[in-house]
Amino acid sequence: GQESRKMSSKGTATVWKNLNPFWGEEYTLHLPMGFHSLSFHVMDEDTIGHDDVIGKITLTKEAIGAQAKGLDCWLNLTKVDPDEEVQGEIHLGLELLKDTEKISLRCQVIEARDLAPRDISGTSDPFTRVIFNNHSAETSIIKKTRFPHWGETLELELDPEELREEEGTVTVQVWDWDMVGKNDFLGKVEIPFACLHKTPQLEGWFRLMPLGNNEVDAGGKLGALRLKVRLVEDQILPSMYYQPLIDLLVESVISPTEVEDSSALTMLEEVTTVESRQDVAMTLVKIYLGQGLVVPFLDYLNTREVNHTTDPNTLFRSNSLASKAMEQFMKAVGMLYLHEVLKPIINRIFDEKKYIELDPCKIDLNRTRRISFKGAVSEAEVRDSSVELLQSYLTSIIESIVSSVDQCPPVMRVAFKQLHKRVEEQFTEPENEDVKYLAISGFFFLRFFAPAILTPKLFQLRDQHADTRTSRTLLLLAKALQSVGNLGLQLGHGKEQWMAPLHPIILRSVASVKDFLDKLIDIDHDTASEVPQRAVFTASVTVKEGFLHKHKAEGPQLLSRFAFKKRYFWLTSETLSYAKTPDWQVRSSIPIQCVCAVERVDENAFQQQNVMQVITQDNDGQLHTMYIQCKNVNELNQWLSAIRKVSIYNERMLPSFHPGVHRSGKWTCCLQADRAVAGCSRTHSAVTLGDWSDPLDPDVETQTIYKQLLQGKDKLRLVPENVLGLYAFLFLNTRGLCCYTVKHCRAGIAARLLVVIEDLEQAHATFQRREKEDATSVIMNP
């Protein structure tokens, strides 16, 4: 569909010089409920000129939704046919006129929006043709626009016998006029003539469809793409329906029960599958961040995990909810910190592209540059050079980490302090002295910094995957940093004895790592907790930041493509601000509550790609537009999503916008002269991406937890312990007499969860029924 294709485009990294690329990338796209299809285009990136299209795969919404667990298969690429690549909608009015003198079909061609760009300028020169049997008529050509406004009436005079036809079709085609060569197809609408007999007057917006050529499977000649695609459709209820479930989750971590008692959280972990545990962990982290209770939440899970562990060597080694929650928590609140610590050294490794290898079985003397001018390069010289480079890189990484205490977010430090305390209380023996350090470093080094070094792109440290040479360097450094996180305790016991040259530097780092961890947890718990964690995550801490190009809004070069100036932007839940540099003292700010639309801008507006607009409304009701250019489509999607999410509950959102700019006395999109005329295209409130940096959305998060509990409803019904307690709770609770013991036994917790689940089930059913009733009262376009 037009919106899903245009507004939710996303690009993988480029794999250079490879006909069998592996990406291994995962994206979450938030699509409009009415989307029709999802397309995957495989491109050949060219450093000069336009990228070439190798082929595409198109999946319909029905095909994706037919598989409960999603699609997972190889699909052959098909050739890209321009006649099939259509988008947009056209506004038509059709009327069948019958009088004594003549019979005619009158077609009002009012306007179209979001047509496909067919010209090199990123626009089209559209005209419309109406066809019925052997009759046809055309509108005028509107030059250089994807949002044409015709306002023309075309009339086809029909023969009396044609009036009796039941099988005929009225076709409205949109074409891009070309002075040289054939015209390009932009889409069509087909309306059964029988509809005009039933409803003599039709008017509305119609989606443009492709010409109808069947996509030809090239039989694998263009290659194949392996995809895993899963469609999840959720109905989000008003907040009040989720409050009982939120109350149960909050009660789990703040009620004065013993940590070993059952709670909604422990029940949730019992019914959660291993496959979904990571998603559940991230969702819970966001819920408790929103409630200002993320530290008590983590402390609750970690205390249970520590108390249930007898062998300190297995502490947090499983993929339990506690382990996953800590891991997702660090991503949610610590990514900007990780970037600050690692990005300079990661950039250096990528830039230098050194050949590094320690494993004698893998040394390839042909892949390294000449090290010695005296003769052929030996394995020993390669190893010595590699050791020297790895020591340099590893030293820089360790020094950057151990000197970063003040950069680490306070909420992370408090969470680690609590973890340190619980481990120290559980493992008091002298021989377990290091366990309190290992518990923290296991998360900090092994589950946070080491994975980021291994795959920088997945942590947004780089835009592209590393090449083979750099990947090997990063793997060796990640292994070494894991040993640092293990405080050197496993050195010499593994199979990779060729890592031994790095052992001295790892052992020398142990003292500084312990000192770092001691300083990391040396923070006043009360002081850090004075600010609710929700503020830490949204208002006080930047949701997204980085260099963008802002359009200069004044002066003679108002609409020049060179009027974009580089500025550093920060986005929080309260403001979008910018300055010349990250360290610049003076910032300009826009209150998020003033944002009323965040949209893309047509390429032809500034002859520039990846431009977006942020439309705001001041207290006097005046609209102001800021144009911002991003460096690529991925960054554009991330900023669109982030700003839309923080402004999603604003009251004065616009229903329409102009994807062009007002230049030379008219809009470049719809060619209207009035600067204040209503927008020619619908706005998009839906976000385009979902990832760790998403701002909080409590209703969506609680809906996710509800769905997990719904899947485990049968397990909750079978809670064996104290079944009588379940009935006691159900009986007494209706009379307000439920006692503490009944409420907090396993059966009591299960019963309370079942009540919440069933209430939400009923609410969903009620809303779905209302939607169906509303839909039947609307006359749908044929």
Side-chain angles (χ1 to χ4, degrees), residues 22-223:
F22 175 80
W23 287 284
E25 298 184 30
E26 182 176 316
Y27 302 105
T28 301
L29 299 179
H30 294 270
L31 304 176
M33 291 300 287
F35 90 98
H36 302 278
S37 63
L38 188 64
S39 293
F40 300 83
H41 287 69
V42 180
M43 314 290 290
D44 174 27
E45 182 166 333
D46 290 329
T47 52
I48 300 174
H50 289 285
D51 299 336
D52 299 320
V53 181
I54 296 172
K56 75 162 185 174
I57 291 167
T58 297
L59 300 173
T60 64
K61 182 181 180 181
E62 292 72 26
I64 304 169
Q67 306 291 329
K69 294 186 177 180
L71 290 171
D72 181 0
C73 57
W74 285 94
L75 296 166
N76 288 336
L77 294 173
T78 59
K79 187 177 179 181
V80 174
D81 182 349
D83 289 343
E84 296 296 301
E85 301 299 301
V86 303
Q87 65 183 51
E89 299 167 317
I90 187 167
H91 189 186
L92 300 171
L94 290 108
E95 186 177 5
L96 189 58
L97 301 173
K98 309 174 202 173
D99 56 39
T100 55
E101 296 183 6
K102 66 175 183 178
I103 302 167
S104 61
L105 173 65
R106 180 178 293 168
C107 180
Q108 283 184 293
V109 183
I110 304 165
E111 59 186 322
R113 59 190 177 199
D114 206 26
L115 300 177
R118 287 287 189 256
D119 297 338
I120 197 168
S121 63
T123 64
S124 290
D125 303 320
F127 69 93
T128 298
R129 180 182 296 148
V130 180
I131 305 169
F132 179 67
N133 289 345
N134 60 344
H135 310 282
S136 67
E138 294 180 357
T139 65
S140 58
I141 299 164
I142 310 291
K143 295 288 188 70
K144 296 183 179 179
T145 181
R146 293 175 47 241
F147 297 81
H149 184 92
W150 288 284
E152 297 181 26
T153 300
L154 305 178
E155 199 162 307
L156 304 180
E157 194 166 325
L158 308 182
D159 299 327
E161 58 269 20
E162 289 179 301
L163 190 61
R164 293 188 288 272
E165 289 191 19
E166 293 289 334
E167 302 299 323
T169 299
V170 179
T171 302
V172 180
Q173 298 176 341
V174 185
W175 293 84
D176 167 46
W177 176 82
D178 283 331
M179 182 180 294
V180 180
K182 67 173 187 175
N183 299 329
D184 300 313
F185 181 71
L186 292 174
K188 71 175 181 180
V189 174
E190 291 185 336
I191 299 165
F193 191 61
C195 287
L196 293 172
H197 283 297
K198 296 173 187 175
T199 311
Q201 200 164 357
L202 283 175
E203 185 186 341
W205 284 94
F206 296 81
R207 187 166 70 96
L208 291 169
M209 305 299 290
L211 195 56
N213 302 336
N214 293 324
E215 290 184 359
V216 178
D217 188 329
K221 292 180 181 178
L222 296 175

Side-chain angles (χ1 to χ4, degrees), residues 717-746:
R717 291 187 191 281
L718 297 174
V719 170
E721 177 192 316
N722 194 6
V723 175
L724 287 175
L726 189 153
Y727 292 107
F729 166 76
L730 291 174
F731 176 76
L732 295 172
N733 193 52
T734 58
R735 292 158 176 76
L737 300 172
C738 191
C739 68
Y740 175 87
T741 304
V742 172
K743 282 180 70 177
H744 291 85
C745 70
R746 275 174 59 79

Side-chain angles (χ1 to χ4, degrees), residues 533-582:
Q533 265 77 63
R534 177 161 193 140
V536 170
F537 188 58
T538 54
S540 301
V541 165
T542 305
V543 172
K544 187 164 181 61
E545 65 178 308
F547 275 111
L548 299 168
H549 285 80
K550 176 187 171 293
H551 190 264
K552 185 180 177 184
E554 66 280 333
Q557 287 188 319
L558 178 60
L559 292 168
S560 163
R561 58 182 297 182
F562 303 108
F564 285 90
K565 301 297 181 183
K566 191 174 184 179
R567 294 291 182 265
Y568 199 84
F569 279 78
W570 297 264
L571 175 68
T572 72
S573 66
E574 295 178 352
T575 60
L576 175 65
S577 53
Y578 58 93
K580 286 188 176 180
T581 67

Side-chain angles (χ1 to χ4, degrees), residues 708-721:
Q708 285 294 322
L709 290 169
L710 185 62
Q711 291 174 8
K713 188 167 74 167
D714 291 340
K715 289 183 181 178
L716 291 174
R717 291 187 191 281
L718 297 174
V719 170
E721 177 192 316

Side-chain angles (χ1 to χ4, degrees), residues 263-278:
S263 69
L265 270 179
T266 60
M267 293 284 182
L268 176 63
E269 183 167 18
E270 287 178 31
V271 302
T272 300
T273 61
V274 175
E275 296 80 21
S276 61
R277 194 157 288 162
Q278 181 161 309

Side-chain angles (χ1 to χ4, degrees), residues 309-345:
T309 304
T310 54
D311 181 359
N313 294 316
T314 64
L315 185 61
F316 294 114
R317 295 298 181 183
S318 67
N319 286 322
S320 63
L321 186 59
S323 298
K324 287 295 183 185
M326 283 293 288
E327 194 175 313
Q328 297 305 312
F329 163 70
M330 290 188 293
K331 286 185 178 180
V333 302
M335 290 295 275
L336 298 175
Y337 160 61
L338 179 136
H339 280 217
E340 200 171 344
V341 172
L342 285 186
K343 201 158 192 176
I345 182 66

Side-chain angles (χ1 to χ4, degrees), residues 594-696:
C594 295
V595 173
C596 48
V598 188
E599 299 292 339
R600 291 184 180 220
V601 176
D602 267 356
E603 288 182 23
N604 70 305
F606 298 104
Q607 302 303 314
Q608 298 276 56
Q609 293 182 327
N610 308 316
V611 178
M612 67 177 181
Q613 54 183 309
V614 179
I615 305 172
T616 56
Q617 193 171 31
D618 60 25
N619 293 331
D620 298 325
Q622 293 293 313
L623 296 179
H624 305 274
T625 304
M626 177 193 291
Y627 297 102
I628 302 170
Q629 185 181 29
C630 305
K631 63 182 178 182
N632 55 47
V633 67
N634 291 347
E635 186 178 74
L636 174 64
N637 277 326
Q638 289 165 12
W639 278 98
L640 281 170
S641 285
I643 302 174
R644 282 178 186 167
K645 282 171 186 168
V646 295
S647 60
I648 199 165
Y649 297 115
N650 286 2
E651 295 178 357
R652 296 186 291 182
M653 301 303 285
L654 294 177
S656 61
F657 77 107
H658 289 284
V661 291
H662 199 268
R663 177 171 56 212
S664 303
K666 62 184 177 183
W667 287 98
T668 58
C669 45
C670 59
L671 308 183
Q672 296 289 300
D674 184 1
R675 181 187 287 272
V677 71
C680 55
S681 187
R682 288 177 299 176
T683 52
H684 303 84
S685 59
V687 297
T688 60
L689 302 175
D691 57 21
W692 54 264
S693 62
D694 290 351
L696 305 183

